[in-house]
Amino acid sequence: MQLEVSNRDIIKIAAPICLALIIPQVNHMTNTAFLGRLGEFELAANGIAGIYYLVMYMIAYGLNNGMQVLIARRAGQQHYAGIGQLFSNGLMLGLFCSLLAIGITLLFAPYFFSHTLHNKAIYEAAVSFIRIRIWGLPMLMLLSMANAFYIGSGHSRVLAITSLCQEVVNIYFDYGLIFGKLNMPAMGLNGAAVASIIAESTGFVVAFSILFIRRFHRRYSLFSYLKPAWGVMQNILNVSAPIIVQFLFSIGGWFVFFIFIEHMGERPLAISNMLRSIFGFFGIFTWALAATCNTMVSNLIGQGRQDQVLQAIKRIILYSATCSVVVCILVNVFPYTLLHIYTADASLISDSLPSIRVITLSTILMAVSAVALSGVTGTGNTRMNLITEIVAVVGYLIYCYIVIERMRSPLHWAWGADFFYWTIIFGISAWYLRSGRWKGKEI
Protein backbone atom coordinates (compact mmCIF):
# COMPACT_ATOMS: atom_id res chain seq x y z
CA MET A 1 0.00 0.00 0.00
CA GLN A 2 1.34 3.42 -0.99
CA LEU A 3 0.11 6.50 0.90
CA GLU A 4 -0.52 10.09 -0.20
CA VAL A 5 -0.12 13.27 1.86
CA SER A 6 -3.86 13.89 1.98
CA ASN A 7 -6.44 14.48 4.67
CA ARG A 8 -8.19 11.31 3.49
CA ASP A 9 -5.17 9.05 4.03
CA ILE A 10 -4.31 10.68 7.36
CA ILE A 11 -7.83 10.11 8.66
CA LYS A 12 -7.96 6.63 7.09
CA ILE A 13 -4.96 5.57 9.19
CA ALA A 14 -5.60 7.65 12.32
CA ALA A 15 -9.33 7.01 12.87
CA PRO A 16 -9.11 3.23 13.47
CA ILE A 17 -5.98 3.68 15.61
CA CYS A 18 -7.78 6.35 17.61
CA LEU A 19 -10.75 4.04 18.20
CA ALA A 20 -8.39 1.23 19.13
CA LEU A 21 -6.62 3.50 21.65
CA ILE A 22 -9.88 4.77 23.12
CA ILE A 23 -10.86 1.30 24.24
CA PRO A 24 -7.69 0.49 26.28
CA GLN A 25 -7.97 3.93 27.87
CA VAL A 26 -11.59 3.20 28.75
CA ASN A 27 -10.18 -0.04 30.19
CA HIS A 28 -7.78 1.94 32.40
CA MET A 29 -10.48 4.43 33.36
CA THR A 30 -12.76 1.52 34.30
CA ASN A 31 -10.06 -0.04 36.49
CA THR A 32 -9.34 3.29 38.16
CA ALA A 33 -13.03 4.17 38.62
CA PHE A 34 -13.85 0.77 40.17
CA LEU A 35 -10.81 0.90 42.44
CA GLY A 36 -11.68 4.47 43.40
CA ARG A 37 -14.93 3.12 44.81
CA LEU A 38 -12.87 0.86 47.10
CA GLY A 39 -10.90 3.80 48.49
CA GLU A 40 -8.03 6.27 48.21
CA PHE A 41 -5.48 3.60 49.18
CA GLU A 42 -6.41 1.32 46.26
CA LEU A 43 -6.12 4.29 43.87
CA ALA A 44 -2.63 5.06 45.19
CA ALA A 45 -1.37 1.45 45.05
CA ASN A 46 -2.76 0.95 41.54
CA GLY A 47 -0.95 4.10 40.40
CA ILE A 48 2.48 2.76 41.36
CA ALA A 49 1.90 -0.83 40.20
CA GLY A 50 0.27 0.32 36.96
CA ILE A 51 3.23 2.53 36.04
CA TYR A 52 5.64 -0.35 36.73
CA TYR A 53 3.71 -2.60 34.34
CA LEU A 54 3.74 0.21 31.82
CA VAL A 55 7.54 0.26 32.03
CA MET A 56 7.62 -3.46 31.18
CA TYR A 57 5.09 -2.92 28.39
CA MET A 58 7.44 -0.41 26.79
CA ILE A 59 9.49 -3.37 25.54
CA ALA A 60 6.44 -4.47 23.52
CA TYR A 61 5.64 -0.91 22.49
CA GLY A 62 9.19 -0.28 21.29
CA LEU A 63 9.17 -3.45 19.20
CA ASN A 64 5.73 -2.45 17.91
CA ASN A 65 7.00 0.96 16.76
CA GLY A 66 10.11 -0.49 15.15
CA MET A 67 8.06 -3.12 13.35
CA GLN A 68 5.63 -0.43 12.16
CA VAL A 69 8.49 1.51 10.57
CA LEU A 70 9.90 -1.58 8.84
CA ILE A 71 6.55 -3.00 7.69
CA ALA A 72 5.42 0.41 6.39
CA ARG A 73 8.73 0.72 4.49
CA ARG A 74 8.23 -2.72 2.90
CA ALA A 75 4.61 -1.83 2.08
CA GLY A 76 5.78 1.36 0.37
CA GLN A 77 8.25 -0.77 -1.61
CA GLN A 78 5.47 -3.35 -2.26
CA HIS A 79 7.79 -6.07 -0.91
CA TYR A 80 5.17 -8.30 0.75
CA ALA A 81 7.37 -11.34 1.40
CA GLY A 82 9.59 -9.02 3.44
CA ILE A 83 6.59 -8.21 5.64
CA GLY A 84 6.16 -11.93 6.39
CA GLN A 85 9.83 -12.28 7.35
CA LEU A 86 9.58 -9.30 9.69
CA PHE A 87 6.36 -10.55 11.31
CA SER A 88 7.56 -14.11 11.99
CA ASN A 89 10.87 -13.02 13.47
CA GLY A 90 9.17 -10.23 15.41
CA LEU A 91 6.95 -12.80 17.13
CA MET A 92 9.98 -14.78 18.31
CA LEU A 93 11.74 -11.66 19.57
CA GLY A 94 8.60 -10.51 21.35
CA LEU A 95 8.10 -13.79 23.20
CA PHE A 96 11.73 -13.88 24.31
CA CYS A 97 11.59 -10.29 25.59
CA SER A 98 8.34 -10.87 27.49
CA LEU A 99 9.70 -13.95 29.28
CA LEU A 100 12.85 -12.02 30.17
CA ALA A 101 10.71 -9.20 31.63
CA ILE A 102 8.71 -11.71 33.70
CA GLY A 103 11.91 -13.15 35.16
CA ILE A 104 13.28 -9.69 36.01
CA THR A 105 10.00 -8.71 37.65
CA LEU A 106 9.64 -11.80 39.83
CA LEU A 107 13.27 -11.61 40.95
CA PHE A 108 13.86 -7.89 41.42
CA ALA A 109 10.56 -5.95 41.64
CA PRO A 110 9.94 -6.69 45.37
CA TYR A 111 13.48 -5.56 46.24
CA PHE A 112 13.12 -2.39 44.16
CA PHE A 113 9.74 -1.44 45.64
CA SER A 114 10.92 -2.11 49.20
CA HIS A 115 13.83 0.34 48.77
CA THR A 116 11.91 3.13 47.02
CA LEU A 117 8.42 3.27 48.57
CA HIS A 118 7.93 4.76 52.04
CA ASN A 119 4.43 3.37 52.72
CA LYS A 120 4.67 -0.34 53.64
CA ALA A 121 0.99 -1.01 52.89
CA ILE A 122 1.30 0.46 49.38
CA TYR A 123 4.49 -1.58 48.87
CA GLU A 124 2.75 -4.86 49.80
CA ALA A 125 -0.30 -4.11 47.64
CA ALA A 126 1.81 -3.07 44.63
CA VAL A 127 4.02 -6.19 44.80
CA SER A 128 0.99 -8.48 45.14
CA PHE A 129 -0.64 -6.80 42.13
CA ILE A 130 2.40 -6.86 39.86
CA ARG A 131 3.19 -10.53 40.60
CA ILE A 132 -0.17 -11.35 39.01
CA ARG A 133 -0.29 -8.63 36.35
CA ILE A 134 3.08 -9.42 34.76
CA TRP A 135 1.81 -12.78 33.43
CA GLY A 136 -0.29 -10.93 30.87
CA LEU A 137 2.84 -9.60 29.14
CA PRO A 138 3.40 -12.48 26.63
CA MET A 139 -0.16 -12.13 25.32
CA LEU A 140 0.20 -8.35 25.17
CA MET A 141 3.52 -8.70 23.35
CA LEU A 142 2.04 -10.97 20.66
CA LEU A 143 -0.97 -8.67 20.34
CA SER A 144 1.39 -5.72 19.83
CA MET A 145 3.17 -7.55 17.00
CA ALA A 146 -0.18 -8.19 15.30
CA ASN A 147 -1.11 -4.51 15.73
CA ALA A 148 2.22 -3.46 14.21
CA PHE A 149 1.38 -5.55 11.15
CA TYR A 150 -2.14 -4.11 10.86
CA ILE A 151 -0.97 -0.49 11.15
CA GLY A 152 2.17 -0.81 9.03
CA SER A 153 0.38 -2.64 6.21
CA GLY A 154 -2.57 -0.23 6.16
CA HIS A 155 -5.19 -2.47 7.79
CA SER A 156 -5.57 -0.47 10.98
CA ARG A 157 -9.37 -0.91 11.07
CA VAL A 158 -8.84 -4.35 12.61
CA LEU A 159 -7.48 -2.71 15.77
CA ALA A 160 -10.94 -1.38 16.59
CA ILE A 161 -12.38 -4.92 16.60
CA THR A 162 -9.68 -6.42 18.82
CA SER A 163 -9.78 -3.51 21.25
CA LEU A 164 -13.58 -3.60 21.53
CA CYS A 165 -13.51 -7.30 22.41
CA GLN A 166 -10.80 -6.62 24.99
CA GLU A 167 -12.76 -3.86 26.66
CA VAL A 168 -16.04 -5.77 26.92
CA VAL A 169 -14.21 -8.69 28.56
CA ASN A 170 -12.23 -6.39 30.86
CA ILE A 171 -15.27 -4.50 32.17
CA TYR A 172 -17.13 -7.76 32.80
CA PHE A 173 -14.31 -9.37 34.78
CA ASP A 174 -13.28 -6.09 36.48
CA TYR A 175 -16.75 -5.70 37.93
CA GLY A 176 -16.95 -9.34 38.96
CA LEU A 177 -13.46 -9.83 40.40
CA ILE A 178 -12.98 -6.45 42.12
CA PHE A 179 -16.35 -6.39 43.91
CA GLY A 180 -17.17 -10.12 44.07
CA LYS A 181 -20.15 -9.88 41.72
CA LEU A 182 -21.45 -12.28 39.02
CA ASN A 183 -20.58 -15.34 41.14
CA MET A 184 -16.87 -14.39 41.18
CA PRO A 185 -14.58 -14.02 44.23
CA ALA A 186 -14.02 -10.50 45.63
CA MET A 187 -10.30 -9.93 44.96
CA GLY A 188 -10.15 -6.13 45.21
CA LEU A 189 -7.00 -4.65 43.64
CA ASN A 190 -5.74 -8.06 42.52
CA GLY A 191 -9.03 -8.65 40.74
CA ALA A 192 -8.16 -5.81 38.38
CA ALA A 193 -4.86 -7.59 37.56
CA VAL A 194 -6.59 -10.88 36.75
CA ALA A 195 -9.26 -9.12 34.65
CA SER A 196 -6.57 -7.36 32.60
CA ILE A 197 -4.78 -10.64 31.86
CA ILE A 198 -8.02 -12.23 30.65
CA ALA A 199 -8.72 -9.16 28.47
CA GLU A 200 -5.22 -9.19 26.93
CA SER A 201 -5.56 -12.89 26.15
CA THR A 202 -8.88 -12.18 24.46
CA GLY A 203 -7.30 -9.43 22.34
CA PHE A 204 -4.52 -11.81 21.27
CA VAL A 205 -6.98 -14.54 20.24
CA VAL A 206 -9.15 -12.10 18.25
CA ALA A 207 -6.21 -10.39 16.51
CA PHE A 208 -4.63 -13.66 15.37
CA SER A 209 -7.98 -15.16 14.39
CA ILE A 210 -8.53 -12.25 11.99
CA LEU A 211 -5.12 -12.89 10.41
CA PHE A 212 -6.44 -16.28 9.33
CA ILE A 213 -10.08 -15.35 8.66
CA ARG A 214 -9.08 -12.58 6.24
CA ARG A 215 -6.22 -14.69 4.84
CA PHE A 216 -3.55 -12.11 5.65
CA HIS A 217 -1.32 -15.04 6.66
CA ARG A 218 -1.28 -16.22 3.02
CA ARG A 219 -1.12 -12.85 1.29
CA TYR A 220 1.89 -11.72 3.34
CA SER A 221 3.40 -15.18 4.15
CA LEU A 222 3.18 -14.27 7.84
CA PHE A 223 4.01 -17.70 9.24
CA SER A 224 6.28 -18.97 6.49
CA TYR A 225 9.49 -17.84 8.16
CA LEU A 226 9.22 -19.25 11.69
CA LYS A 227 12.80 -20.49 11.60
CA PRO A 228 14.90 -17.67 13.14
CA ALA A 229 16.62 -15.49 10.54
CA TRP A 230 19.34 -13.67 12.41
CA GLY A 231 19.81 -11.06 9.69
CA VAL A 232 16.12 -10.11 9.87
CA MET A 233 16.19 -10.09 13.68
CA GLN A 234 19.25 -7.88 13.62
CA ASN A 235 17.44 -5.48 11.29
CA ILE A 236 14.43 -5.40 13.64
CA LEU A 237 16.67 -4.77 16.65
CA ASN A 238 18.69 -2.10 14.84
CA VAL A 239 15.47 -0.11 14.44
CA SER A 240 13.58 -1.23 17.56
CA ALA A 241 16.29 -1.39 20.25
CA PRO A 242 16.86 2.40 20.39
CA ILE A 243 13.06 2.89 20.54
CA ILE A 244 12.74 0.34 23.37
CA VAL A 245 15.50 2.03 25.35
CA GLN A 246 13.91 5.40 24.50
CA PHE A 247 10.54 4.32 25.88
CA LEU A 248 12.13 2.68 28.93
CA PHE A 249 13.82 6.01 29.65
CA SER A 250 10.57 7.89 29.07
CA ILE A 251 8.25 5.73 31.18
CA GLY A 252 11.06 4.93 33.61
CA GLY A 253 11.36 8.66 34.25
CA TRP A 254 7.61 8.79 34.77
CA PHE A 255 7.87 5.86 37.21
CA VAL A 256 10.50 7.76 39.21
CA PHE A 257 8.14 10.77 39.14
CA PHE A 258 5.39 8.65 40.73
CA ILE A 259 7.83 7.39 43.37
CA PHE A 260 8.63 11.03 44.22
CA ILE A 261 4.87 11.68 44.40
CA GLU A 262 4.46 8.70 46.77
CA HIS A 263 6.95 10.42 49.08
CA MET A 264 4.52 13.36 49.22
CA GLY A 265 1.78 11.12 50.65
CA GLU A 266 -1.15 8.88 49.76
CA ARG A 267 -3.43 11.72 48.60
CA PRO A 268 -1.07 13.26 46.00
CA LEU A 269 -0.47 9.74 44.64
CA ALA A 270 -4.22 9.06 44.40
CA ILE A 271 -4.77 12.42 42.66
CA SER A 272 -1.94 11.73 40.22
CA ASN A 273 -3.38 8.35 39.30
CA MET A 274 -6.76 9.95 38.52
CA LEU A 275 -5.13 12.64 36.40
CA ARG A 276 -3.00 10.07 34.56
CA SER A 277 -6.22 8.25 33.67
CA ILE A 278 -8.06 11.38 32.50
CA PHE A 279 -5.28 12.82 30.37
CA GLY A 280 -4.29 9.36 29.13
CA PHE A 281 -7.79 9.04 27.72
CA PHE A 282 -7.83 12.47 26.10
CA GLY A 283 -4.29 11.98 24.79
CA ILE A 284 -5.47 9.25 22.42
CA PHE A 285 -5.90 11.73 19.56
CA THR A 286 -2.27 12.75 19.85
CA TRP A 287 -0.96 9.17 20.05
CA ALA A 288 -3.14 8.01 17.15
CA LEU A 289 -1.85 10.86 14.99
CA ALA A 290 1.72 10.19 16.16
CA ALA A 291 1.40 6.55 15.02
CA THR A 292 -0.04 7.82 11.74
CA CYS A 293 2.95 10.15 11.30
CA ASN A 294 5.36 7.27 11.93
CA THR A 295 3.69 5.09 9.27
CA MET A 296 3.19 7.85 6.70
CA VAL A 297 6.75 9.17 6.91
CA SER A 298 8.25 5.70 6.51
CA ASN A 299 5.86 4.87 3.66
CA LEU A 300 6.68 8.09 1.78
CA ILE A 301 10.42 7.46 2.12
CA GLY A 302 9.86 3.89 0.86
CA GLN A 303 8.22 5.38 -2.24
CA GLY A 304 11.21 7.71 -2.76
CA ARG A 305 9.12 10.84 -1.97
CA GLN A 306 11.32 12.36 0.74
CA ASP A 307 10.45 15.87 -0.39
CA GLN A 308 6.90 15.43 1.00
CA VAL A 309 7.91 14.25 4.48
CA LEU A 310 7.96 17.66 6.21
CA GLN A 311 4.66 18.61 4.58
CA ALA A 312 3.08 15.43 6.00
CA ILE A 313 4.45 16.05 9.50
CA LYS A 314 3.23 19.67 9.56
CA ARG A 315 -0.26 18.67 8.45
CA ILE A 316 -0.52 15.95 11.10
CA ILE A 317 0.77 18.35 13.79
CA LEU A 318 -2.03 20.77 12.88
CA TYR A 319 -4.62 18.02 13.35
CA SER A 320 -3.07 16.98 16.67
CA ALA A 321 -2.84 20.51 18.10
CA THR A 322 -6.42 21.31 17.11
CA CYS A 323 -7.77 18.17 18.81
CA SER A 324 -5.71 18.88 21.93
CA VAL A 325 -6.95 22.46 22.29
CA VAL A 326 -10.59 21.33 22.03
CA VAL A 327 -10.05 18.57 24.58
CA CYS A 328 -8.27 20.84 27.06
CA ILE A 329 -11.09 23.39 26.89
CA LEU A 330 -13.60 20.64 27.70
CA VAL A 331 -11.50 19.35 30.62
CA ASN A 332 -11.26 22.83 32.13
CA VAL A 333 -14.97 23.53 31.67
CA PHE A 334 -16.12 20.21 33.18
CA PRO A 335 -13.44 19.13 35.68
CA TYR A 336 -15.89 18.18 38.45
CA THR A 337 -17.87 15.92 36.13
CA LEU A 338 -14.73 14.06 35.04
CA LEU A 339 -13.33 13.64 38.53
CA HIS A 340 -16.66 12.34 39.85
CA ILE A 341 -16.10 9.28 37.66
CA TYR A 342 -13.32 8.24 40.06
CA THR A 343 -14.38 9.53 43.46
CA ALA A 344 -17.20 11.16 45.38
CA ASP A 345 -14.75 12.74 47.86
CA ALA A 346 -15.25 16.51 47.45
CA SER A 347 -11.91 17.41 49.07
CA LEU A 348 -10.02 15.02 46.80
CA ILE A 349 -11.67 16.60 43.76
CA SER A 350 -10.92 20.12 45.00
CA ASP A 351 -7.25 19.27 45.59
CA SER A 352 -6.97 17.98 42.01
CA LEU A 353 -8.02 21.19 40.26
CA PRO A 354 -4.71 23.16 40.32
CA SER A 355 -2.87 20.20 38.78
CA ILE A 356 -5.47 19.90 36.01
CA ARG A 357 -4.74 23.49 34.92
CA VAL A 358 -1.01 22.79 34.70
CA ILE A 359 -1.38 19.46 32.85
CA THR A 360 -3.66 21.17 30.33
CA LEU A 361 -0.79 23.36 29.11
CA SER A 362 1.67 20.47 28.82
CA THR A 363 -0.96 18.40 26.95
CA ILE A 364 -1.16 21.02 24.19
CA LEU A 365 2.63 21.05 23.91
CA MET A 366 2.64 17.23 23.88
CA ALA A 367 0.26 17.26 20.89
CA VAL A 368 2.95 18.98 18.82
CA SER A 369 6.07 17.36 20.27
CA ALA A 370 4.88 13.72 20.17
CA VAL A 371 4.04 13.96 16.45
CA ALA A 372 7.39 15.59 15.68
CA LEU A 373 9.22 12.84 17.56
CA SER A 374 7.24 10.16 15.69
CA GLY A 375 8.27 11.86 12.46
CA VAL A 376 11.88 11.26 13.48
CA THR A 377 11.00 7.59 14.20
CA GLY A 378 9.49 7.24 10.73
CA THR A 379 12.77 8.30 9.09
CA GLY A 380 14.33 5.15 10.55
CA ASN A 381 17.03 6.96 12.54
CA THR A 382 15.79 5.66 15.89
CA ARG A 383 19.14 6.39 17.52
CA MET A 384 18.24 10.06 17.21
CA ASN A 385 15.02 9.32 19.10
CA LEU A 386 17.07 7.71 21.85
CA ILE A 387 19.42 10.69 22.16
CA THR A 388 16.44 13.05 22.26
CA GLU A 389 14.74 10.97 24.95
CA ILE A 390 17.82 10.70 27.15
CA VAL A 391 18.36 14.47 27.11
CA ALA A 392 14.66 15.12 27.85
CA VAL A 393 14.43 12.55 30.68
CA VAL A 394 17.60 13.82 32.36
CA GLY A 395 16.14 17.35 32.32
CA TYR A 396 12.80 15.98 33.55
CA LEU A 397 14.34 14.13 36.51
CA ILE A 398 16.50 17.09 37.49
CA TYR A 399 13.32 19.21 37.59
CA CYS A 400 11.51 16.53 39.64
CA TYR A 401 14.34 16.17 42.13
CA ILE A 402 14.68 19.90 42.72
CA VAL A 403 10.97 20.78 42.78
CA ILE A 404 9.57 17.70 44.57
CA GLU A 405 12.35 16.25 46.72
CA ARG A 406 14.32 19.39 47.61
CA MET A 407 11.81 22.24 47.51
CA ARG A 408 8.78 20.13 48.63
CA SER A 409 6.58 22.13 46.25
CA PRO A 410 2.81 21.56 45.87
CA LEU A 411 1.55 18.83 43.51
CA HIS A 412 0.70 21.18 40.64
CA TRP A 413 4.30 22.40 40.53
CA ALA A 414 5.45 18.77 40.39
CA TRP A 415 3.29 18.19 37.30
CA GLY A 416 5.04 21.14 35.64
CA ALA A 417 7.81 18.63 34.87
CA ASP A 418 5.80 17.45 31.84
CA PHE A 419 5.93 20.92 30.29
CA PHE A 420 9.71 20.98 30.72
CA TYR A 421 10.03 17.50 29.17
CA TRP A 422 7.94 18.16 26.05
CA THR A 423 9.74 21.45 25.36
CA ILE A 424 13.06 19.59 25.12
CA ILE A 425 11.51 16.87 22.92
CA PHE A 426 10.12 19.40 20.47
CA GLY A 427 13.28 21.49 20.28
CA ILE A 428 15.58 18.58 19.35
CA SER A 429 13.06 16.84 17.03
CA ALA A 430 12.30 20.02 15.08
CA TRP A 431 16.00 20.79 14.67
CA TYR A 432 16.76 17.29 13.35
CA LEU A 433 13.84 17.19 10.89
CA ARG A 434 14.67 20.62 9.48
CA SER A 435 18.37 19.75 9.17
CA GLY A 436 17.65 17.08 6.52
CA ARG A 437 20.20 14.69 8.05
CA TRP A 438 17.66 11.87 7.91
CA LYS A 439 17.59 11.79 4.10
CA GLY A 440 19.11 8.72 2.52
CA LYS A 441 18.72 6.55 5.65
CA GLU A 442 18.36 2.88 4.61
CA ILE A 443 16.63 0.29 6.81
Short mmCIF file of all heavy atoms in Angstrom, two decimals, residues 88-112:
data_model
loop_
_atom_site.label_atom_id
_atom_site.label_comp_id
_atom_site.label_asym_id
_atom_site.label_seq_id
_atom_site.Cartn_x
_atom_site.Cartn_y
_atom_site.Cartn_z
N SER A 88 7.20 -12.84 11.35
CA SER A 88 7.56 -14.11 11.99
C SER A 88 8.70 -13.93 12.99
O SER A 88 8.65 -14.44 14.11
CB SER A 88 7.96 -15.14 10.93
OG SER A 88 6.88 -15.44 10.07
N ASN A 89 9.72 -13.22 12.57
CA ASN A 89 10.87 -13.02 13.47
C ASN A 89 10.54 -12.06 14.61
O ASN A 89 11.08 -12.19 15.71
CB ASN A 89 12.07 -12.52 12.67
CG ASN A 89 12.71 -13.63 11.85
OD1 ASN A 89 13.57 -14.35 12.33
ND2 ASN A 89 12.28 -13.78 10.61
N GLY A 90 9.63 -11.12 14.36
CA GLY A 90 9.17 -10.23 15.41
C GLY A 90 8.44 -10.97 16.51
O GLY A 90 8.58 -10.66 17.70
N LEU A 91 7.65 -11.98 16.14
CA LEU A 91 6.95 -12.80 17.13
C LEU A 91 7.94 -13.50 18.07
O LEU A 91 7.75 -13.51 19.30
CB LEU A 91 6.08 -13.85 16.44
CG LEU A 91 4.85 -13.37 15.67
CD1 LEU A 91 4.11 -14.57 15.08
CD2 LEU A 91 3.91 -12.58 16.58
N MET A 92 8.99 -14.07 17.49
CA MET A 92 9.98 -14.78 18.31
C MET A 92 10.72 -13.83 19.24
O MET A 92 10.94 -14.14 20.42
CB MET A 92 10.95 -15.53 17.40
CG MET A 92 10.31 -16.72 16.68
SD MET A 92 11.44 -17.62 15.60
CE MET A 92 11.35 -16.66 14.09
N LEU A 93 11.08 -12.66 18.72
CA LEU A 93 11.74 -11.66 19.57
C LEU A 93 10.83 -11.20 20.70
O LEU A 93 11.26 -11.05 21.85
CB LEU A 93 12.15 -10.45 18.72
CG LEU A 93 13.50 -10.51 18.00
CD1 LEU A 93 13.66 -9.28 17.13
CD2 LEU A 93 14.64 -10.61 19.00
N GLY A 94 9.56 -10.99 20.36
CA GLY A 94 8.60 -10.51 21.35
C GLY A 94 8.40 -11.49 22.48
O GLY A 94 8.37 -11.10 23.67
N LEU A 95 8.27 -12.78 22.16
CA LEU A 95 8.10 -13.79 23.20
C LEU A 95 9.33 -13.87 24.11
O LEU A 95 9.20 -13.96 25.34
CB LEU A 95 7.84 -15.15 22.56
CG LEU A 95 6.39 -15.47 22.21
CD1 LEU A 95 6.30 -16.81 21.50
CD2 LEU A 95 5.51 -15.46 23.45
N PHE A 96 10.51 -13.83 23.51
CA PHE A 96 11.73 -13.88 24.31
C PHE A 96 11.81 -12.69 25.27
O PHE A 96 12.11 -12.85 26.46
CB PHE A 96 12.96 -13.89 23.40
CG PHE A 96 14.27 -13.76 24.15
CD1 PHE A 96 14.80 -14.86 24.81
CD2 PHE A 96 14.94 -12.55 24.21
CE1 PHE A 96 15.99 -14.74 25.52
CE2 PHE A 96 16.13 -12.42 24.91
CZ PHE A 96 16.66 -13.52 25.56
N CYS A 97 11.52 -11.50 24.77
CA CYS A 97 11.59 -10.29 25.59
C CYS A 97 10.57 -10.32 26.73
O CYS A 97 10.85 -9.89 27.85
CB CYS A 97 11.37 -9.04 24.74
SG CYS A 97 12.73 -8.68 23.60
N SER A 98 9.37 -10.84 26.46
CA SER A 98 8.34 -10.87 27.49
C SER A 98 8.72 -11.84 28.61
O SER A 98 8.52 -11.55 29.80
CB SER A 98 6.99 -11.25 26.89
OG SER A 98 7.02 -12.55 26.34
N LEU A 99 9.28 -12.99 28.25
CA LEU A 99 9.70 -13.95 29.28
C LEU A 99 10.86 -13.40 30.10
O LEU A 99 10.94 -13.62 31.32
CB LEU A 99 10.09 -15.27 28.61
CG LEU A 99 8.94 -16.02 27.92
CD1 LEU A 99 9.46 -17.26 27.20
CD2 LEU A 99 7.85 -16.40 28.94
N LEU A 100 11.75 -12.67 29.45
CA LEU A 100 12.85 -12.02 30.17
C LEU A 100 12.31 -11.00 31.17
O LEU A 100 12.77 -10.93 32.32
CB LEU A 100 13.79 -11.34 29.18
CG LEU A 100 15.02 -10.63 29.76
CD1 LEU A 100 15.93 -11.62 30.47
CD2 LEU A 100 15.78 -9.90 28.65
N ALA A 101 11.31 -10.21 30.75
CA ALA A 101 10.71 -9.20 31.63
C ALA A 101 10.01 -9.84 32.81
O ALA A 101 10.05 -9.31 33.94
CB ALA A 101 9.73 -8.33 30.83
N ILE A 102 9.36 -10.99 32.60
CA ILE A 102 8.71 -11.71 33.70
C ILE A 102 9.74 -12.15 34.73
O ILE A 102 9.56 -11.98 35.94
CB ILE A 102 7.91 -12.92 33.18
CG1 ILE A 102 6.67 -12.45 32.41
CG2 ILE A 102 7.50 -13.85 34.32
CD1 ILE A 102 5.92 -13.57 31.72
N GLY A 103 10.85 -12.71 34.25
CA GLY A 103 11.91 -13.15 35.16
C GLY A 103 12.48 -12.00 35.98
O GLY A 103 12.68 -12.12 37.20
N ILE A 104 12.75 -10.87 35.31
CA ILE A 104 13.28 -9.69 36.01
C ILE A 104 12.30 -9.21 37.07
O ILE A 104 12.69 -8.88 38.20
CB ILE A 104 13.58 -8.57 34.99
CG1 ILE A 104 14.77 -8.97 34.11
CG2 ILE A 104 13.86 -7.25 35.71
CD1 ILE A 104 15.01 -8.02 32.95
N THR A 105 11.01 -9.20 36.72
CA THR A 105 10.00 -8.71 37.65
C THR A 105 9.90 -9.59 38.89
O THR A 105 9.90 -9.10 40.03
CB THR A 105 8.62 -8.65 36.95
OG1 THR A 105 8.68 -7.68 35.90
CG2 THR A 105 7.52 -8.27 37.93
N LEU A 106 9.80 -10.89 38.69
CA LEU A 106 9.64 -11.80 39.83
C LEU A 106 10.87 -11.79 40.74
O LEU A 106 10.75 -11.93 41.96
CB LEU A 106 9.37 -13.22 39.33
CG LEU A 106 8.06 -13.41 38.54
CD1 LEU A 106 7.92 -14.85 38.08
CD2 LEU A 106 6.85 -13.00 39.40
N LEU A 107 12.05 -11.58 40.15
CA LEU A 107 13.27 -11.61 40.95
C LEU A 107 13.58 -10.28 41.64
O LEU A 107 14.02 -10.26 42.81
CB LEU A 107 14.46 -12.00 40.07
CG LEU A 107 14.53 -13.47 39.60
CD1 LEU A 107 15.65 -13.65 38.60
CD2 LEU A 107 14.72 -14.40 40.80
N PHE A 108 13.34 -9.16 40.93
CA PHE A 108 13.86 -7.89 41.42
C PHE A 108 12.81 -6.85 41.82
O PHE A 108 13.14 -5.91 42.54
CB PHE A 108 14.80 -7.27 40.37
CG PHE A 108 15.98 -8.12 40.05
CD1 PHE A 108 16.10 -8.74 38.81
CD2 PHE A 108 16.98 -8.34 40.98
CE1 PHE A 108 17.19 -9.54 38.50
CE2 PHE A 108 18.08 -9.12 40.69
CZ PHE A 108 18.19 -9.74 39.45
N ALA A 109 11.57 -6.97 41.34
CA ALA A 109 10.56 -5.95 41.64
C ALA A 109 10.31 -5.78 43.14
O ALA A 109 10.26 -4.64 43.63
CB ALA A 109 9.25 -6.24 40.91
N PRO A 110 10.16 -6.88 43.92
CA PRO A 110 9.94 -6.69 45.37
C PRO A 110 11.08 -5.92 46.04
O PRO A 110 10.85 -5.06 46.89
CB PRO A 110 9.85 -8.13 45.89
CG PRO A 110 9.39 -8.93 44.71
CD PRO A 110 10.06 -8.30 43.54
N TYR A 111 12.33 -6.26 45.66
CA TYR A 111 13.48 -5.56 46.24
C TYR A 111 13.45 -4.08 45.88
O TYR A 111 13.68 -3.21 46.74
CB TYR A 111 14.76 -6.21 45.71
CG TYR A 111 16.03 -5.51 46.16
CD1 TYR A 111 16.60 -5.79 47.40
CD2 TYR A 111 16.65 -4.55 45.34
CE1 TYR A 111 17.76 -5.14 47.82
CE2 TYR A 111 17.81 -3.90 45.75
CZ TYR A 111 18.35 -4.20 46.98
OH TYR A 111 19.49 -3.55 47.40
N PHE A 112 13.14 -3.78 44.60
CA PHE A 112 13.12 -2.39 44.16
C PHE A 112 12.04 -1.59 44.88
O PHE A 112 12.30 -0.49 45.38
CB PHE A 112 12.89 -2.34 42.65
CG PHE A 112 12.79 -0.94 42.10
CD1 PHE A 112 13.92 -0.17 41.92
CD2 PHE A 112 11.56 -0.39 41.79
CE1 PHE A 112 13.84 1.12 41.43
CE2 PHE A 112 11.46 0.90 41.30
CZ PHE A 112 12.61 1.65 41.11
#
